[in-house]
Amino acid sequence: MPRAKKPVVEPSVPEAGSQPNVNKTQAVKDYLKEHPGALPVAVSEALRAQGVDIDPKYVSNIKFNLGIKKRRKKAVAKGEEATPAAAAAPTDMVSVAALQKAKKLVQELGGVQQAKQALAALGQLLD
């Protein structure tokens, strides 16, 4: 039995008024150059508005292959608490509570000069 000839398929030519085929990966890369922090859903919606039908999952895969990763916060180990930013203040910073205690000390000793003398004497005792 002879084989039937396959029909000759001519390459499709975009019709007048329709958009030519768009490389979706390149469209995502171009969009991410302009908007580096965009989430996959936002990229997908923006490209759909431009006429490129693309799924957010596909955008996510492209971002992964490009090496674009979302930064994660470091996990705090059990038993350790995150230190607040105020605890990392420079040593020359004085808290309001410490100033209030210093004010009480100055008042009890009778003035700033007397408080300085008392602190100098204390410094000599501690050395």
Side-chain angles (χ1 to χ4, degrees):
M1 202 176 201
R3 287 185 158 175
K5 290 185 178 182
K6 292 184 181 178
V8 177
V9 178
E10 295 181 19
S12 62
V13 178
E15 298 175 15
S18 70
Q19 290 187 342
N21 292 338
V22 177
N23 185 342
K24 293 179 182 180
T25 304
Q26 189 60 45
V28 171
K29 287 179 182 180
D30 293 341
Y31 187 83
L32 289 174
K33 276 185 183 178
E34 296 173 14
H35 307 90
L39 296 175
V41 173
V43 174
S44 173
E45 290 174 359
L47 291 177
R48 280 187 184 157
Q50 295 175 6
V52 179
D53 187 31
I54 191 163
D55 192 45
K57 292 178 186 177
Y58 187 61
V59 174
S60 181
N61 286 338
I62 293 169
K63 286 180 74 172
F64 177 78
N65 289 334
L66 290 174
I68 300 173
K69 296 180 182 179
K70 184 168 49 169
R71 294 187 183 251
R72 295 184 182 189
K73 294 181 181 178
K74 291 184 180 179
V76 177
K78 286 186 177 181
E80 293 183 22
E81 294 183 21
T83 55
T91 56
D92 63 343
M93 297 289 291
V94 180
S95 68
V96 174
L99 288 173
Q100 289 173 342
K101 289 179 183 179
K103 181 181 175 185
K104 285 182 183 179
L105 178 66
V106 168
Q107 288 174 347
E108 289 176 7
L109 295 176
V112 176
Q113 288 299 328
Q114 290 81 1
K116 284 183 180 179
Q117 290 173 354
L119 288 174
L122 179 62
Q124 290 176 354
L125 289 174
L126 294 177
D127 286 336

